Amino acid sequence: YTPRAADLFHIIPTDVGRPFEHLTHRLNYDGLVQDAQRVLDALVSYETEVEHDDGRWSIARIAPYRTTDDRIDGVVLTFVDVTDLRTARDEAARRTRQQSVVAAIGVTALEGCDLPTLFHMACVRTTEALGVELGKVLRYRGDDLVVEAGVGWLDGAVGRATAPADAGSQAGYTLLSEGPVVVPDLSLETRFEAPPLLTDNGVRSGISAAIAGPSGQPYGVLGIHSRMPQSFSSDDGDFVQAVANVLGDAVQRASSEETIRMQLAEIEA
């Protein structure tokens, strides 16, 4: 055995000769002994991805052990660390899912979906894509912002709950920012304070992005939140901003259509 294997299986020199099933290991792999026996019985190698108890991943390969005189005398276990590869693969899949969400919301908006339904869809799809519990669209009203759509909040929040519009809250700070605002842990935040809307719902982290309105004025804020601290990436922030941009386009399109309807009504009158 190698030093790394000794660490992985807690092997000491006096363990040589002990039954393999008596050894403990640091793998989340309950079927290891059974898979080793199947390889020995069938003489066919086997590979699988396994997670370590520290969160790392390896490809485990079990192969028959053939001696120099061509006898099968057990199995050989090898482990190749693929943590970085798996992380890159998972991130790529995550980005693909997020892009599909932006596209789906954009198509729905272009099909003429009404704004309340579109806002609700955006909250649902973005929270699902980021694996968090709460999402909301806040509408700017001058002195404050009101929850216009949302998922995961306490009953009665939608249409009633508000957040301050000044820079002392995450929503107000977002309105003054040029890009998404990412909060990994609200308890450690120094740029602004958490308003009751967030604390009452147990929010610990989140991402927010401004939604543009007609004539260059802000419409509001898209906020995605979790009740646990989260290490959001810059790509996650860009994703929320992309969804907010789609909502902003829909708001401006709806405003233009309403203006045209009003003008036509005046002409017909």
Side-chain angles (χ1 to χ4, degrees), residues 115 119 139-140 148 210-220 244-245 247-259:
L115 291 181
F119 291 162
R139 183 168 186 173
Y140 178 59
E148 194 161 50
I211 302 171
S215 304
Q217 298 299 309
Y219 178 86
N245 292 345
L247 299 183
D249 289 342
V251 167
Q252 295 172 59
R253 186 163 49 250
S255 177
S256 297
E257 291 172 352
E258 179 62 23
T259 299

Side-chain angles (χ1 to χ4, degrees), residues 8-250:
L8 193 60
F9 285 87
H10 308 291
I11 300 174
I12 58 176
T14 55
D15 285 328
V16 175
R18 288 182 60 193
F20 180 56
E21 61 268 23
H22 290 183
L23 300 178
T24 60
H25 54 75
R26 299 172 56 193
L27 302 169
N28 298 325
Y29 189 1
D30 294 335
L32 177 58
V33 173
Q34 291 80 3
D35 286 344
Q37 185 62 54
R38 278 194 289 270
V39 168
L40 187 60
D41 293 341
L43 301 182
V44 176
S45 299
Y46 175 73
E47 285 187 1
T48 186
E49 287 190 7
V50 296
E51 185 180 14
H52 299 217
D53 60 9
D54 61 0
R56 298 189 65 79
W57 286 82
S58 291
I59 291 179
R61 185 172 190 271
I62 309 174
Y65 171 62
R66 193 177 298 273
T67 65
T68 55
D69 56 354
D70 203 31
R71 291 185 302 106
I72 300 299
D73 193 25
V75 297
V76 177
L77 276 70
T78 57
F79 297 89
V80 179
D81 192 315
V82 293
T83 304
D84 292 343
L85 178 62
R86 185 183 177 93
T87 299
R89 185 180 66 195
D90 290 348
E91 280 300 310
R94 183 180 174 94
R95 297 288 84 78
T96 298
R97 289 194 300 270
Q98 291 177 355
Q99 291 168 4
S100 68
V101 168
V102 175
I105 296 172
V107 169
T108 301
L110 290 173
E111 290 175 344
C113 178
D114 63 274
L115 291 181
T117 301
L118 184 67
F119 291 162
H120 180 75
M121 174 188 179
C123 291
V124 171
R125 296 295 301 273
T126 50
T127 54
E128 289 177 347
L130 289 172
V132 298
E133 309 95 314
L134 304 102
K136 68 183 186 308
V137 170
L138 297 171
R139 183 168 186 173
Y140 178 59
R141 301 193 302 188
D143 294 332
D144 64 9
L145 299 106
V146 64
V147 178
E148 194 161 50
V151 292
W153 304 90
L154 295 175
D155 291 343
V158 176
R160 296 175 58 188
T162 61
D166 58 69
S169 72
Q170 181 175 350
Y173 186 91
T174 301
L175 288 176
L176 300 174
S177 302
E178 296 182 355
V181 176
V182 179
V183 180
D185 189 339
L186 196 56
S187 67
L188 303 177
E189 183 57 58
T190 59
R191 294 170 294 180
F192 41 76
E193 296 182 355
L197 173 61
L198 300 186
T199 57
D200 290 350
N201 284 273
V203 169
R204 290 291 305 276
S205 60
I207 304 173
S208 53
I211 302 171
S215 304
Q217 298 299 309
Y219 178 86
V221 172
L222 171 65
I224 306 301
H225 306 276
S226 174
R227 294 189 174 95
M228 297 290 292
Q230 296 271 3
S231 297
F232 296 108
S233 68
S234 59
D235 286 336
D236 292 334
D238 291 341
F239 164 59
V240 174
Q241 184 66 68
V243 175
N245 292 345
V246 171
L247 299 183
D249 289 342

